[in-house]
Amino acid sequence: MQTLLLSASDPAAPALAAELIRRGELVAIPTETVYGLGADGLNEAAVAKIFQAKGRPQDNPLILHIWDARQLELFCHHIPESAYALASAFWPGPLTMVLPARDIVPRTTTAGLSTVAIRCPDSAVTREIIRLSGVPIAAPSANISGKPSTTTAQHVLHDHDGKIAAIVDGGPCRVGVESTIVDLTEDRPRLLRPGGIGPEQLISVLGDLVVDKAVTAQLGNDDIVKAPGMKYRHYAPQEPVVIVSGSREAAASYIRKHFIPGDRVLCFEEELPLYEGCSPLAYGKEADVTTLSAGLFAALRELDDPAIHQVYARCPVGGGVAYAVQNRLRKAAAFHIIDAEEET
Ligand code: AMP
Ligand code: MG
């Protein structure tokens, strides 16, 4: 199949993409978080194609994307007041809510769960595609399963050229990490995945938040999880990644001492001079954490190279979107963290 590359600024793109979705084809869509691999979320055969194209495990559910918050009631029931409060505070935006699913949502989309993850993305072209298609669009990140997510149309083309009907190119994603996921089906709201909306922002609306174990620790296959996708190896380049924490100086001294040819250093722009001769790659500025979230996956994809032996990574501290960057890097590193302050 020839993969059509459509520009988000082409006035004909939304109608064309919507027509392909209606026909049950796969279309990669831009959002503010990452590029999604979209299909008609109510069509089981179309949704099955997503799992096949990504090589995604069958028990890893998808997010249903809607174009307007008012669509929430079409696909969910028993919606608590907190969901409306979050929608009015953060939609359209990088927040996904888990709510009880109506029967109209096929179990292929929810991976057999009775709940559905739902989001209204902050991309005008993607909301227009959803509106014109007349169906909610189910979409996970558009990367091959396990690999770093796709934050440009070129990343999607690299992973799926010839396998999907179209890619809508909306330029690089602004946030760069996947949406925050909050589960509203229990007594207390539960953070299943950090993202563009920080925990503090959620608490300011909800007044309460439990952080799921999947966010902070490596889960095994036997763990019973609330966020099924979170137990799989994620976001990782093929070689091992190790996070080196501590001050700039302590980390640089540790890394320079252990660095061998074939290793790479993933660091902040401000740190580049400290790693001369150590093949450093900067993913953004420590002083501006949104550049780190926006640059993280492109850097991890660049480092996904069989010639690389090991990656030493520097990770931001703090809340907001830095909390999401920490989470993705820790998962990419399989929670392998060295404290340079203790080692030197
Ligand atoms: P992706 O956008 O590729 O990160 O995939 C969507 C993620 O949303 C999955 O990995 C799941 O962890 C999460 N998710 C989707 N639906 C549900 C649900 N009903 N309950 C809990 N987590 C969900
Ligand atoms: Mg994903």
Side-chain angles (χ1 to χ4, degrees):
M1 152 188 318
Q2 168 109 36
T3 300
L4 255 179
L5 197 54
L6 303 169
S7 167
S9 57
D10 173 355
L16 238 163
E19 175 58 25
L20 290 168
I21 293 286
R22 259 200 308 272
R23 278 199 241 141
E25 298 291 347
L26 299 185
V27 177
I29 47 174
T31 80
E32 77 282 28
T33 60
V34 301
Y35 275 75
L37 189 56
D40 174 351
L42 303 184
N43 175 340
E44 299 219 40
V47 169
K49 290 184 188 173
I50 297 178
F51 286 88
Q52 203 197 0
K54 279 184 61 102
R56 184 174 177 97
Q58 297 291 335
D59 65 347
N60 193 356
L62 310 176
I63 293 172
L64 207 55
H65 294 77
I66 54 179
W67 67 272
D68 187 286
R70 282 168 299 182
Q71 289 194 296
L72 198 53
E73 286 156 18
L74 299 176
F75 309 112
C76 306
H77 61 88
H78 287 87
I79 303 171
E81 274 310 311
S82 56
Y84 294 105
L86 287 174
S88 83
F90 303 120
W91 277 2
L95 177 72
T96 297
M97 299 188 228
V98 173
L99 292 162
R102 286 197 185 276
D103 287 342
I104 187 180
V105 182
R107 291 303 179 257
T108 321
T109 300
T110 67
L113 299 173
S114 60
T115 56
V116 64
I118 195 155
R119 174 166 107 87
C120 181
D122 186 17
S123 156
V125 69
T126 286
R127 284 205 311 281
E128 183 63 358
I129 295 169
I130 303 168
R131 191 182 71 80
L132 292 173
S133 68
V135 291
I137 295 188
S141 54
N143 52 288
I144 297 286
S145 207
K147 289 294 177 191
S149 303
T150 38
T151 54
T152 66
Q154 288 67 39
H155 293 160
V156 184
L157 200 62
H158 174 272
D159 285 14
H160 297 295
D161 193 11
K163 294 192 298 174
I164 64 177
I167 301 171
V168 180
D169 186 349
C173 299
R174 174 173 61 80
V175 177
V177 290
E178 301 85 344
S179 57
T180 303
I181 304 182
V182 61
D183 179 8
L184 299 173
T185 63
E186 293 179 7
D187 292 344
R188 298 180 63 191
R190 178 181 287 267
L191 179 68
L192 300 184
R193 177 174 77 184
I197 304 295
E200 313 79 0
Q201 286 173 285
L202 293 177
I203 291 170
S204 76
V205 172
L206 297 169
D208 181 32
L209 189 68
V210 180
V211 176
D212 196 83
K213 192 176 147 201
V215 174
T216 52
Q218 176 86 56
L219 299 177
N221 264 334
D222 296 335
D223 277 300
I224 299 187
V225 288
K226 201 60 218 198
M230 308 318 261
K231 70 182 181 221
Y232 296 106
R233 186 167 187 260
H234 250 95
Y235 318 119
Q238 50 198 292
E239 67 282 357
V241 176
V242 47
I243 293 173
V244 182
S245 68
S247 71
R248 255 180 213 170
E249 294 68 31
S253 138
Y254 176 88
I255 292 169
R256 296 195 70 95
K257 191 160 119 198
H258 293 86
F259 185 91
I260 56 170
D263 289 345
R264 295 290 304 267
V265 179
L266 179 64
C267 64
F268 311 129
E269 267 177 40
E270 295 93 327
E271 297 181 321
L272 283 171
L274 296 172
Y275 294 106
E276 238 169 76
C278 295
S279 311
L281 174 66
Y283 63 110
K285 291 192 182 72
E286 188 178 23
D288 180 0
V289 73
T290 57
T291 63
L292 294 174
S293 71
L296 178 67
F297 284 130
L300 288 175
R301 291 179 77 90
E302 190 175 331
L303 294 172
D304 184 24
D305 176 346
I308 299 175
H309 172 247
Q310 178 170 257
V311 174
Y312 292 103
R314 295 282 292 150
C315 185
V317 292
V321 77
Y323 190 61
V325 173
Q326 285 156 33
N327 170 262
R328 304 305 191 273
L329 261 178
R330 284 179 189 175
K331 295 214 177 239
F335 290 86
H336 186 189
I337 303 169
I338 288 169
D339 183 350
E341 306 283 346
E342 279 177 14
E343 297 287 329
T344 43

